[in-house]
Amino acid sequence: MAGHNALLDQRFMSLALALGRRGLGNTWPNPAVGAVVVRHDGEPVIVGRGWTQPGGRPHAETEALRRAGAAARGATLYATLEPCSHHGRTPPCTDAIMAAGITRVVSAIEDPNALAGRGHALLRASGIVVDVGVGAAEARRAHAGHIRSVCDHRPHVSLKLAVSADGKVALAGRKPVAITGEPVRARVHLMRAMNDAILIGIGTALADDPQLTCRLPGMASRSPVRVVLDADLRLPVASALVRSAREPPLWVIAGETAPTEVEAVLAARGVEVFRIPGVRGQASGVRREDGGAARTFLTPDSRFLIPEAALRVLAGRGITRLMVEGGPTVAAALLAADLVDEAVLLRGPSPIGADGIDALEAMPLTALTDSPQLRSLGIETVGADTIETFERT
């Protein structure tokens, strides 16, 4: 970046990242990119801003260039991800950048997608100056879903756990209880809006009868796809989820031998049912696809679904960012299979008592908090509660 002001580059990339976050949870299967077009004639002037539009098109770069118009000629484009170079449903962003007369492109990170990852080379070959790496750490977090999808063929998994002061998530008998206050619950709804899909197990669906929507004012349309892991198709037709199955979409992932007549009843109400292999028995081992040793976890259900297979189904439907809200069986299974990329631990100030339900089935909470695969990014106090965030090491 010789000859360029690094502080200005950082400032405009920060703006591009903020713009890109507007699309989180709303652009799948495409990444939520942000872009800014800046003229540097004397004092820098922003002439165009863009972010990936709902459904993934148009892309952020073409949006920013459209808004900049003729002012883009001779300007710098800041983008949070390498501009695409392949023909999809729309022409490549690299063509639009070259046609607009952009003379410099600043990208936060390269695109791991081999189809899209020739953008920088094509731009350089056309004579455009390309600098990569400004805001890279933040961009990797923003595009974690896209990166995980391309590299590992599964969504980026964010586990949310609301636990009492003594590490419980429900009353005896799995009866639900309010653990955190309203400010934290509002934060959870915002998290839902920033993910493509939200997943729970059938135990949570039966115990809580949740809606799993984003209920912040004016944000109902940002509710994610709802997903239930339900090996034997026990989800009641009268549940809140099935009653609202078409908006937002409700997907149920069932076992191969779940009753077909129940699937037909659910499908008639707008539920989409997928089938994957199940693991039988009280103690279930999950075999890692890389050949690693099976990890064992316990489940109170007669059958449990292989979590890797469930994530592959979701990735195949374009889901890149998955929020997991429960319950203890699903959370423990994902942790045991090393499939948790990020965790958010919401702690309330009051205990539930020894007869309450543990946060992780047959696992201590330290399996998350002391996991060598996860590191704490710090604790935030929100009202009477705390929020601790973890990310993959």
Side-chain angles (χ1 to χ4, degrees):
M1 293 189 297
H4 301 290
N5 188 316
L7 290 177
L8 284 178
D9 283 349
Q10 186 63 60
R11 169 187 159 194
F12 293 123
M13 186 61 74
S14 293
L15 173 58
L17 286 160
L19 291 170
R21 280 193 290 272
R22 296 183 181 191
L24 285 176
N26 206 31
T27 67
W28 60 276
N30 289 348
V33 177
V36 182
V37 180
V38 181
R39 293 193 65 86
H40 287 276
D41 309 324
E43 286 296 311
V45 177
I46 297 170
V47 294
R49 308 167 193 241
W51 54 94
T52 310
Q53 296 300 292
R57 291 289 194 279
H59 285 185
E61 298 93 329
T62 53
E63 276 290 284
L65 292 170
R66 179 183 64 80
R67 295 180 183 191
R73 187 157 299 278
T76 296
L77 172 74
Y78 295 85
T80 61
L81 183 68
E82 179 175 3
C84 71
S85 59
H86 66 292
H87 285 267
R89 284 180 289 164
T90 55
C93 289
T94 49
D95 286 3
I97 291 167
M98 289 184 276
I102 292 289
T103 57
R104 180 176 177 239
V105 169
V106 181
S107 294
I109 57 175
E110 294 178 339
D111 194 331
N113 186 345
L115 277 175
R118 294 168 48 247
H120 290 153
L122 288 172
L123 293 172
R124 288 188 177 109
S126 72
I128 295 174
V129 175
V130 177
D131 291 315
V132 183
V134 177
E138 190 176 346
R140 279 191 289 271
R141 289 192 180 97
H143 297 308
H146 174 66
I147 295 167
R148 186 69 61 191
S149 176
V150 170
C151 297
D152 294 338
H153 311 292
R154 68 169 178 83
H156 177 85
V157 175
S158 298
L159 174 64
K160 185 229 77 175
L161 287 177
V163 302
S164 63
D166 53 352
K168 309 293 183 178
V169 294
L171 299 173
R174 298 186 181 258
K175 294 178 182 176
V177 61
I179 291 175
T180 57
E182 189 55 41
V184 166
R185 287 196 289 272
R187 185 78 67 90
V188 170
H189 284 278
L190 184 60
M191 290 167 59
R192 289 177 179 178
M194 297 173 75
N195 280 275
D196 307 342
I198 181 171
L199 180 144
I200 61 170
I202 184 60
T204 298
L206 294 174
D208 297 357
D209 192 25
Q211 298 178 56
L212 301 182
T213 52
C214 176
R215 294 190 292 279
L216 295 175
M219 293 188 68
S221 64
R222 297 296 297 267
S223 296
V225 173
R226 285 97 44 91
V227 182
V228 182
L229 287 182
D230 183 8
D232 298 304
L233 287 181
R234 292 187 287 147
L235 185 65
V237 172
S239 65
L241 287 168
V242 176
R243 291 200 312 269
S244 62
R246 288 185 169 88
E247 194 59 45
L250 175 62
W251 299 349
V252 173
I253 300 180
E256 293 169 321
T257 60
T260 54
E261 61 273 18
V262 177
E263 178 180 349
V265 170
L266 292 173
R269 286 160 174 78
V271 180
E272 192 163 359
V273 177
F274 304 87
R275 291 177 181 267
I276 63 171
V279 179
R280 291 193 174 275
Q282 286 292 96
S284 302
V286 176
R287 174 68 61 183
R288 292 180 51 155
E289 295 213 347
D290 60 8
R295 298 161 186 247
T296 299
F297 58 91
L298 302 179
T299 167
D301 299 329
S302 59
R303 287 204 305 141
F304 194 79
L305 300 171
I306 298 172
E308 288 96 333
L311 295 187
R312 281 198 301 272
V313 165
L314 297 179
R317 290 300 303 269
I319 299 299
T320 67
R321 294 171 57 88
L322 177 67
M323 179 177 174
V324 177
E325 283 211 33
T329 304
V330 172
L334 290 168
L335 275 169
D338 191 21
L339 293 171
V340 175
D341 303 304
E342 184 179 329
V344 180
L345 191 61
L346 316 171
R347 286 188 185 269
S350 304
I352 285 179
D355 59 349
I357 303 300
D358 288 335
L360 300 172
E361 189 74 37
M363 280 185 178
L365 189 55
T366 52
L368 186 158
T369 57
D370 295 344
S371 168
Q373 279 78 41
L374 298 168
R375 63 172 179 177
S376 174
L377 298 181
I379 299 176
E380 176 187 0
T381 300
V382 179
D385 309 312
T386 62
I387 301 177
E388 186 171 10
T389 303
F390 300 81
E391 71 174 10
R392 184 176 286 277
T393 53

